Amino acid sequence: GLRGIASVLVVTAHICRSLVPILLSPAMSDQLPPNLLQLPFIRCLTMGRASVAVFAIVTGYVNSLGPLKKSRTGNADAALSGVAKSAFRRFGRFMIPAMVATTISWLACQFGAYDVAHLADSQWIRDTSPAKSSSFAGAIYDLLHNLGTTWIDGYNTYDRIQWTLTYLLKGSMMTYLSLFALVYVKPRWRMIILAGMFYFKWKSGDALVGFNIFCGIFLAELSGDGDVASFMEAHPYFQAVGSASLIFTGLFFCSYPEEHAEWARWSSSLQHLGHWFFPRDVELARYYPGLGADIIALGVMFNTTAKKLLSLRFLCWMGKLSWPVYLIHAPLIRTILTWVLFGASVRPQQGKDENGNQLPPGWLPIANRWVVLFAIPLFYVFLYRAAGLWSSYVDPWCTNVTQRFEDMVFRDDAKAEKPLLLS
């Protein structure tokens, strides 16, 4: 459920960044008060950076839960076997769907699907919309080049938001490597070592994935600790008040703005606190959402009501589609949504310059508010319908490709064993 909420907030954040970028700030200006969506807590609905941290936490948690459980029951060899296979499968199940999404976006680009986006009165849409290649050979080269650079340096001109994928893949490998090193360690010492790794990543400035990954692994270890569970059952008031306080604090930290934190008193106070609390010269707009997501995850773990809400069928369904939604939402924003909001507009004339030369027309203005009011909810329906089709057809195909490659390269004795870890 938490992953499903994070994915829809990523979509909302990119739509807001496209249409109302002022929401990245905590107020309309340094002299004007904030609107409703710029207030703390409420602004979490339009912020996407905490969602990336949630993906990292879930990656660490989900991929650690099974091996750590086996380690606690003395079945460490089975845990190692599962980790080895999952680490191998992760590349295929992570990279192949992303490559398919890039190829689809590349095809759309070559057939002119982003032409309207290049003229839209939205800097984010224009800046993230690729241009057509100059020739067929150039188009093939551009596709192959971007399929590689996505995983080398995070650059993908056909889908700029895929820059996060290389970090999340590294986070997965960091999780597996940690499990290899710690599977034979006693649980109490394992917690201490994981806390130390969290602190190391914290001090080294790895706010995007690093300390969030180790938070997820730590929470997986904590969830299997019987003493912690017994303590919480014996102190229900502490459990309720403490977990709610953690979630409240985490949401407040996640509200930290990406731009102009000095424009509001609450964010300015966080800015001053961050310069003292966080490592020197780090990006506070990454650290605060990351820390906030960690605190929320800890609070949810000990809050029975929150866990029941996140287990609702609708949120679980959203979580199941979170990966397809993440892969396809940005190209759909720059095509389908852009066509509806900007496609029927006429570029305004800019007049002439001081020398009497005709200036180029302005950008395509957005449609009237009624069109926007109806188009955006319908876009979410279309997006999740497309994600459902992706989950039904593309994901199984990618899984089959990965499985065939695994059957080709794995030893016979390894292939005979059943998978031991959720990938």
Side-chain angles (χ1 to χ4, degrees):
L2 190 61
R3 183 164 50 187
I5 294 174
S7 65
V8 75
L9 291 183
V10 167
V11 180
T12 304
H14 285 139
I15 292 177
C16 291
R17 189 183 292 269
S18 303
L19 305 180
V20 277
I22 191 61
L23 294 180
L24 298 176
S25 303
M28 300 304 291
S29 75
D30 58 345
Q31 301 296 328
L32 296 175
N35 65 27
L36 180 64
L37 292 177
Q38 290 175 313
L39 295 174
F41 301 105
I42 299 176
R43 66 179 292 108
C44 290
L45 298 174
T46 64
M47 302 285 289
R49 293 195 169 183
S51 298
V52 178
V54 168
F55 294 148
I57 295 169
V58 171
T59 296
Y61 181 86
V62 171
N63 288 284
S64 301
L65 204 57
L68 292 178
K69 182 178 180 180
K70 290 181 173 64
S71 175
R72 281 180 173 272
T73 58
N75 200 6
D77 291 342
L80 287 175
S81 176
V83 168
K85 294 177 182 179
S86 294
F88 182 87
R89 296 185 185 113
R90 189 66 172 176
F91 287 97
R93 296 183 181 180
F94 203 76
M95 296 176 68
I96 295 176
M99 290 180 173
V100 173
T102 297
T103 303
I104 294 173
S105 181
W106 168 80
L107 278 172
C109 174
Q110 306 309 322
F111 282 99
Y114 295 120
D115 288 353
V116 175
H118 295 148
L119 303 175
D121 188 16
S122 168
Q123 185 174 351
W124 186 86
I125 290 177
R126 294 197 309 271
D127 290 347
T128 59
S129 298
K132 296 179 184 178
S133 303
S134 58
S135 64
F136 178 78
I140 298 299
Y141 172 81
D142 290 339
L143 173 62
L144 297 176
H145 177 74
N146 281 273
L147 289 176
T149 56
T150 302
W151 309 103
I152 296 172
D153 56 16
Y155 181 80
N156 185 332
T157 190
Y158 296 108
D159 193 359
R160 297 291 180 87
I161 69 161
Q162 287 197 21
W163 69 268
T164 60
L165 299 187
T166 181
Y167 292 96
L168 292 173
L169 182 59
K170 290 177 182 177
S172 298
M173 296 303 109
M174 196 185 306
T175 300
Y176 297 131
L177 182 60
S178 300
L179 293 173
F180 271 120
L182 299 176
V183 73
Y184 287 107
V185 176
K186 295 178 181 178
R188 285 289 186 274
W189 282 105
R190 193 157 51 220
M191 286 189 187
I192 294 173
I193 294 171
L194 289 171
M197 292 304 301
F198 179 97
Y199 180 74
F200 171 76
K201 287 296 183 180
W202 173 280
K203 293 296 289 184
S204 63
D206 191 357
L208 183 64
V209 169
F211 66 75
N212 298 307
I213 284 288
F214 284 103
C215 174
I217 304 174
F218 183 86
L219 292 178
E221 183 67 68
L222 198 64
S223 67
D225 192 294
D227 293 340
V228 173
S230 300
F231 176 83
M232 289 299 173
E233 290 177 2
H235 301 82
Y237 180 80
F238 176 82
Q239 180 181 9
V241 175
S243 60
S245 299
L246 287 172
I247 295 172
F248 183 86
T249 303
L251 288 173
F252 184 61
F253 286 165
C254 288
S255 302
Y256 188 83
E258 292 185 32
E259 299 178 358
H260 304 296
E262 68 279 1
W263 284 3
R265 182 175 298 177
W266 68 270
S267 55
S268 179
S269 299
L270 284 180
Q271 186 179 46
H272 291 302
L273 175 64
H275 290 314
W276 171 79
F277 185 66
F278 296 128
R280 184 178 302 176
D281 299 327
V282 298
E283 187 179 0
L284 299 185
R286 288 283 179 202
Y287 260 76
Y288 268 120
L291 177 60
D294 293 344
I295 295 174
I296 290 172
L298 181 61
V300 167
M301 173 171 285
F302 298 119
N303 191 296
T304 304
T305 302
K307 287 192 289 187
K308 288 182 179 179
L309 289 175
L310 292 175
S311 299
L312 292 175
R313 180 177 298 181
F314 177 71
L315 292 181
C316 291
W317 172 77
M318 290 178 62
K320 177 184 176 182
L321 297 181
S322 60
W323 179 227
V325 165
Y326 188 84
L327 288 177
I328 67 176
H329 80 274
L332 291 180
I333 288 175
R334 297 192 297 266
T335 52
I336 303 296
L337 186 60
T338 299
W339 296 344
V340 174
L341 297 183
F342 298 94
S345 302
V346 178
R347 298 179 69 183
Q349 297 298 319
Q350 300 286 83
K352 298 182 179 180
D353 61 17
E354 57 185 11
N355 298 321
N357 299 317
Q358 183 68 41
L359 294 171
W363 303 118
L364 289 172
I366 194 170
N368 65 65
R369 66 179 62 184
W370 292 108
V371 174
V372 176
L373 184 64
F374 284 100
I376 292 180
L378 290 176
F379 173 76
Y380 279 95
V381 175
F382 179 84
L383 171 64
Y384 274 87
R385 176 56 179 162
L389 293 173
W390 181 288
S391 179
S392 298
Y393 297 101
V394 179
D395 278 345
W397 179 83
C398 295
T399 300
N400 288 336
V401 172
T402 304
Q403 186 63 52
R404 288 179 182 178
F405 184 67
E406 178 182 321
D407 292 340
M408 182 176 66
V409 302
F410 270 29
R411 299 196 322 249
D412 292 338
D413 58 336
K415 288 189 290 185
E417 299 175 11
K418 296 181 179 180
L420 294 169
L421 181 66
L422 178 64
S423 298

